[in-house]
Amino acid sequence: MSDSIDTRTPLQLSHLPAQFIGREAEQDALTEAFGVDEDSRLQNYHVYGRRGTGKTHLLQRFLTTFPPTFTTCYVSGVRHDTQYKALERLYQLLTGTSLGTGHHVADIQRKIKDQITLPTVVVVDEVDFLLLNDGDDLLYYLTRLENTAVITVSANRSTLEDAVDDRTYSTFQPQLLTLNDYTTNEARQILADRARKALQPQSLERAALTYITETTQNIAIAVTWLREAAETAENQVTQSLAQEVEVAAYHKYVRTLLHRFTTHHRRLYNTISRLEQVEQPPFTTGTVYREYSERCETAGVASLSERRISDFLTHLELLDLIEATYHRGGSRGKTREIRRVNWNSRPGSEETG
DNA sequence: CGTCCACCGGAAAATAGGGAGG
DNA sequence: CCTCCCTATTTTCCGGTGGACG
């Protein structure tokens, strides 16, 4: 990497740009709905948008707009995928002390309730992972707290109406906010804005940006890709360089996504990748599992049960890393047909599919 | 109409650990 | 330290599914 290229903060995924390109309308909608500046109107929201559409940034930014007369909490359903973990996290945010494991859920619920004195906004990001476990009970509890607004965030469900109990939804009743995919134009502006702050003016070829943002509108992928290219570049990020590092960049994106999961999740994903190099997808669950077990054996690691791996496949599906068509029965039995998701939206650039 | 495929996915149990009170 | 209550992770168990095929 050359000295003329600065790949620090603006090209990190966690970087919150000063200007939030392309989501002004959604930001205004939330601000207005909550009446942050005037009389506050707490209300529940469900925010939906595919991966890399700025949901997390939108809400983290939104939470910072509240004055100190509010309490705001951000909880990730990936890191806190059970009611207990989410509540423990919430308690930690409210009091600064962590409880550890071993307590009664009802006790923590009571403690949290006692802590809530100011109007409180709780963002539950990646809510789908909670809903795989007992997230329903969490939402039931949260939506029944007084003086509290709940904002759920999902990359998979545009509504939670049929994902939670009626008793939960009846008090939840969220406003719906959908973030559409960025256009290639918006994606290019966002990337250009970050590049401008991180890179020397001449070190980025315009065509490289165009190539990246026409390939993917997922900003998380695009930023990872640009950073990968910048780190590889001698002195300029060109289109051909972007093409060269395309696969490596996507792998890097996958690694960051799977970072918070177990080694078995990563091994499972790698198993499917390798299967695709040998054989035409899709693969049934059994095929994937047998291959996974073999890889475990080769690595000298105990393999998890098929039941467990079935759940992990669902995780990969929620992460939009694989897609599965479900067969509820029939001649081929009850199974899933699994293939990796093709990240690139260029028509006909790979084999037909 | 019965059987079979090839898992799904719910439920319970096994295992390993923590916290509070006596 | 013991007991009894929790949680977390994973395994074991098993009924259920719905087209094809005999």
Side-chain angles (χ1 to χ4, degrees):
Chain A
M1 184 183 120
S2 137
D3 290 342
S4 64
I5 295 173
D6 173 15
T7 55
R8 283 169 299 163
T9 43
L11 291 185
Q12 297 295 322
L13 290 181
S14 56
H15 175 69
L16 279 172
Q19 199 195 349
F20 198 20
I21 299 165
R23 293 298 178 215
E24 296 86 353
E26 289 83 355
Q27 211 170 355
D28 292 348
L30 283 176
T31 304
E32 195 173 321
F34 279 75
V36 173
D37 299 324
E38 314 106 51
D39 53 339
S40 64
R41 297 180 293 277
L42 287 181
Q43 54 191 301
N44 299 328
Y45 257 89
H46 176 69
V47 180
Y48 164 74
R50 303 206 309 161
R51 290 200 174 273
T53 55
K55 299 181 296 301
T56 301
H57 279 197
L58 174 70
L59 288 159
Q60 287 183 341
R61 180 180 291 260
F62 177 58
L63 290 185
T64 65
T65 66
F66 285 89
T69 51
F70 286 80
T71 307
T72 61
C73 302
Y74 173 88
V75 180
S76 163
V78 167
R79 299 188 59 172
H80 313 282
D81 63 348
T82 64
Q83 175 176 212
Y84 188 96
K85 289 180 193 166
L87 289 173
E88 207 251 332
R89 158 80 171 165
L90 215 46
Y91 185 82
Q92 191 187 353
L93 287 172
L94 290 171
T95 66
T97 59
S98 74
L99 289 166
T101 179
H103 299 278
H104 299 210
V105 162
D107 284 352
I108 304 183
Q109 288 179 335
R110 191 176 30 75
K111 284 181 177 174
I112 289 174
K113 192 176 180 179
D114 292 344
Q115 286 297 322
I116 291 181
T117 47
L118 302 174
T120 301
V121 181
V122 179
V123 170
V124 183
D125 205 350
E126 302 275 18
V127 69
D128 306 80
F129 289 90
L130 269 155
L131 292 175
L132 289 178
N133 303 314
D134 54 357
D136 200 320
D137 296 330
L138 174 74
L139 293 183
Y140 182 81
Y141 163 75
L142 287 179
T143 54
R144 247 150 261 251
L145 277 177
E146 299 211 356
N147 218 8
T148 302
V150 179
I151 304 178
T152 53
V153 184
S154 170
N156 306 282
R157 293 185 163 94
S158 57
T159 170
L160 294 186
E161 191 154 12
D162 38 45
V164 300
D165 275 6
D166 291 343
R167 58 162 208 166
T168 302
Y169 203 80
S170 68
T171 50
F172 187 22
Q173 297 289 345
Q175 303 288 314
L176 300 180
L177 179 64
T178 295
L179 309 197
N180 295 318
D181 284 1
Y182 286 117
T183 63
T184 59
N185 204 24
E186 287 167 333
R188 191 171 57 233
Q189 282 183 51
I190 293 165
L191 227 53
D193 177 58
R194 293 198 182 206
R196 195 161 42 241
K197 284 180 276 187
L199 311 178
Q200 294 294 315
Q202 296 86 4
S203 60
L204 177 63
E205 193 181 80
R206 193 179 173 76
L209 273 197
T210 304
Y211 180 78
I212 290 174
T213 54
E214 279 179 356
T215 304
T216 180
Q217 289 78 52
N218 178 331
I219 297 301
I221 295 180
V223 167
T224 305
W225 190 352
L226 180 59
R227 192 177 67 241
E228 178 73 14
E231 284 168 0
T232 317
E234 293 287 322
N235 42 42
Q236 196 190 30
V237 175
T238 61
Q239 178 179 344
S240 65
L241 177 64
Q243 276 169 312
E244 255 174 59
V245 302
E246 178 166 348
V247 172
Y250 183 69
H251 284 165
K252 196 166 248 184
Y253 165 76
V254 172
R255 271 210 302 283
T256 60
L257 259 191
L258 290 180
H259 185 244
R260 308 251 170 243
F261 291 81
T262 70
T263 56
H264 287 284
H265 285 92
R266 292 187 279 276
R267 197 188 307 278
L268 184 59
Y269 178 81
N270 292 336
T271 296
I272 299 167
S273 297
R274 209 181 67 165
L275 270 175
E276 288 199 349
Q277 289 166 12
V278 181
E279 208 179 316
Q280 189 70 17
F283 313 107
T284 62
T285 304
T287 307
V288 171
Y289 181 72
R290 281 184 290 276
E291 182 71 17
Y292 155 83
S293 295
E294 258 177 55
R295 295 203 72 189
C296 283
E297 202 170 338
T298 310
V301 176
S303 61
L304 298 179
S305 67
E306 183 161 10
R307 179 69 188 82
R308 192 79 183 115
I309 289 304
S310 172
D311 283 344
F312 284 14
L313 283 170
T314 306
H315 296 160
L316 296 184
E317 203 183 337
L318 286 178
L319 290 173
D320 211 24
L321 293 179
I322 64 172
E323 57 191 9
T325 47
Y326 286 70
H327 295 277
R328 305 177 153 278
S331 56
R332 279 174 293 187
K334 190 178 188 178
T335 186
R336 274 178 276 191
E337 288 194 326
I338 296 155
R339 47 159 50 90
R340 285 197 309 161
V341 168
N342 191 9
W343 74 92
N344 101 44
S345 59
R346 260 170 290 130
S349 59
E350 301 275 322
E351 324 90 305
T352 51

